[in-house]
Amino acid sequence: MATQSPNGGRLDEAVSATLAQGYGLQILSACPHRKVWQLETSQGPKYLKKTKLNAASLYFIHEALEYLVQQGFPTVPRFRLDRDGKPFVQNGADRYVLTDWYDATELDFQVLTDLQQACRLLAIFHLKSRGFQPSRPSTRTVWLDWPAKWEKRIRELQTFRDLARADSENSPFSRLYLRHFEPFYRQANLSYQWLLKSPYPEVAAAAARERSFCHHDYSDRNLLRTTAGQIIMVDFDYCLSDLRIHDLVNLLVRNLKYLAWNSELGKYILTQYHQTAPLSREELQVMWVLLSWPQDFWQVGLQFYVEKLPWPKERFLRKLERKLRQRFDRERFLSDFSQNNGIYTWKKM
């Protein structure tokens, strides 16, 4: 019989049997939370997630998490190993990972003390991640790949433009995307040229020597404060070996895009991080270039034209309109960044 959850959700009988056999535990109840399950088991509460990741990625993430624990950073969810020593179990074509369940609440970046803790935790995480060497070949190593990545994305922007032209008579989204395409496309090409002229090669080479890695989805929903006050960093699905400033750029964007790109808040985030894990002037210069790339405009095009996410058309349109409204605030922030970041100053390109 399938496991019945308190709110009516059901865990498939075959999955329950696979978990019981693979992990040697008994499932007492299963309660769905968003896209995961909270399980009550004979070995305590557990978190179960069905994952689309391949085996190589799961081994990479498992080894990264174990490395952090070995380096004295225990506040991450360790994958439970099955009886064969794998960090997942498989039911047909589906893979599942199991970790402990935490009685915790999500941080809120709009609360300054939460944001401060997040900045400092990210810095400690990057320091502890140094020296990581996965035992298996992995596609999750991209320290030196940014120029090639941006070349590819510029070609993708051209494809989005062609698809928008073909769709413009029928789609308000495509008409709006086309109307604003040229300035974002020019910025993409400018950012690419700036990257080539920046200290990126030196920064990337240094990161490759340090062998640190990124969380790559560092958001308040992925930081949990337990009832004991400990902060747990969760959801390492996008973890990869990359420049640490990639995480920091993402943290800046997540916080500033809803606050008119407030330069004082940007300085606060950078200085809080810098106090624990000092940044170099060259890293800040590369950060400025990364922040100049029109990521949001490229991403919404990808979601609409390629990924074809199952969202209402109105949601796509609202998302694009919101990104367009942020353009000039972001440009103002970037124009001031080299002289007003709270750490170093330099002459702009």
Side-chain angles (χ1 to χ4, degrees):
M1 180 180 295
T3 305
Q4 181 73 37
S5 77
N7 63 356
R10 300 174 69 84
L11 187 63
D12 183 83
E13 180 180 356
V15 175
S16 296
T18 297
L19 295 171
Q21 180 179 4
Y23 293 119
L25 50 73
Q26 180 183 358
I27 299 174
L28 307 176
S29 66
C31 180
H33 283 264
R34 298 177 182 171
K35 297 181 180 179
V36 303
W37 291 83
Q38 180 184 1
L39 306 182
E40 289 298 333
T41 77
S42 56
Q43 298 176 19
K46 303 295 178 185
Y47 164 105
L48 176 69
K49 182 177 182 178
K50 180 180 176 181
T51 176
K52 296 180 181 179
L53 297 178
N54 59 32
S57 290
L58 291 172
Y59 276 109
F60 178 94
I61 296 168
H62 163 64
E63 291 185 359
L65 294 171
E66 291 301 307
Y67 184 79
L68 288 170
V69 173
Q70 292 165 13
Q71 297 303 307
F73 190 84
T75 58
V76 289
R78 304 171 75 175
F79 286 175
R80 175 74 178 269
L81 300 181
D82 76 351
R83 286 174 167 171
D84 297 324
K86 300 195 307 297
F88 59 89
V89 293
Q90 193 147 347
N91 181 59
D94 298 327
R95 295 184 182 90
Y96 294 83
V97 295
L98 190 75
T99 72
D100 289 338
W101 180 271
Y102 298 98
D103 185 10
T105 57
E106 296 175 357
L107 263 61
D108 182 354
F109 285 168
Q110 294 185 45
V111 177
L112 197 60
T113 52
D114 281 9
L115 181 59
Q116 180 188 56
Q117 288 181 299
C119 294
R120 294 180 177 178
L121 185 69
L122 182 63
I124 296 169
F125 161 72
H126 287 152
L127 292 174
K128 295 296 185 181
S129 75
R130 289 177 176 176
F132 174 59
Q133 179 69 55
S135 66
R136 301 162 181 257
S138 172
T139 59
R140 292 184 171 232
T141 301
V142 297
W143 293 301
L144 304 169
D145 292 356
W146 280 88
K149 180 187 296 187
W150 281 7
E151 283 182 1
K152 178 175 181 287
R153 290 182 179 180
I154 287 171
R155 293 194 297 271
E156 288 172 341
L157 282 169
Q158 295 168 346
T159 300
F160 302 160
R161 177 181 56 195
D162 294 341
L163 292 170
R165 285 171 175 166
D167 188 42
S168 60
E169 290 188 10
N170 302 315
S171 168
F173 177 92
S174 289
R175 289 195 292 272
L176 186 62
Y177 198 82
L178 276 177
R179 192 180 311 146
H180 294 273
F181 180 85
E182 287 305 322
F184 286 99
Y185 182 67
R186 285 196 301 272
Q187 183 58 58
N189 282 278
L190 260 180
S191 296
Y192 173 70
Q193 294 301 322
W194 290 340
L195 184 67
L196 298 181
K197 296 175 183 177
S198 76
Y200 168 77
E202 294 84 358
V203 170
R209 288 193 299 270
E210 286 182 350
R211 305 203 65 82
S212 61
F213 56 87
C214 291
H215 183 277
H216 207 228
D217 191 17
Y218 197 71
S219 62
D220 43 9
R221 71 175 182 276
N222 287 331
L223 296 171
L224 307 180
R225 181 180 288 108
T226 68
T227 52
Q230 189 177 46
I231 298 179
I232 311 294
M233 189 186 301
V234 301
D235 196 351
F236 279 72
D237 281 10
Y238 300 101
C239 169
L240 76 170
S241 297
D242 195 5
L243 311 180
R244 62 171 177 159
I245 57 174
H246 193 181
D247 272 342
L248 200 48
V249 164
N250 288 341
L251 182 62
L252 284 169
V253 172
R254 287 182 189 278
N255 284 277
L256 299 181
K257 65 183 180 180
Y258 296 116
L259 295 170
W261 285 82
N262 183 289
S263 60
E264 291 304 309
L265 182 61
K267 285 168 60 177
Y268 181 80
I269 291 169
L270 289 172
T271 53
Q272 288 297 315
Y273 179 97
H274 181 71
Q275 288 172 13
T276 301
L279 295 156
S280 69
R281 179 180 280 103
E282 291 75 19
E283 285 179 302
L284 280 168
Q285 290 171 339
V286 176
M287 278 186 65
W288 177 81
V289 176
L290 298 183
L291 285 164
S292 76
W293 171 264
Q295 173 72 15
D296 287 349
F297 191 78
W298 167 82
Q299 188 172 46
V300 72
L302 182 76
Q303 291 168 337
F304 186 83
Y305 294 112
V306 178
E307 296 175 343
K308 299 184 185 297
L309 296 182
W311 296 344
K313 292 182 178 180
E314 295 76 15
R315 180 176 175 180
F316 280 110
L317 190 59
R318 288 195 304 270
K319 190 171 185 179
L320 177 57
E321 289 170 341
R322 185 170 63 248
K323 295 179 187 307
L324 293 174
R325 288 194 298 269
Q326 295 169 3
R327 175 189 163 196
F328 296 108
D329 288 332
R330 187 170 186 156
E331 289 178 356
R332 175 187 46 76
F333 174 86
L334 288 168
S335 70
D336 197 33
F337 187 79
S338 65
Q339 300 297 312
N340 191 30
N341 57 66
I343 303 174
Y344 300 111
T345 63
W346 69 90
K347 291 183 179 180
K348 289 190 295 185
M349 295 180 188

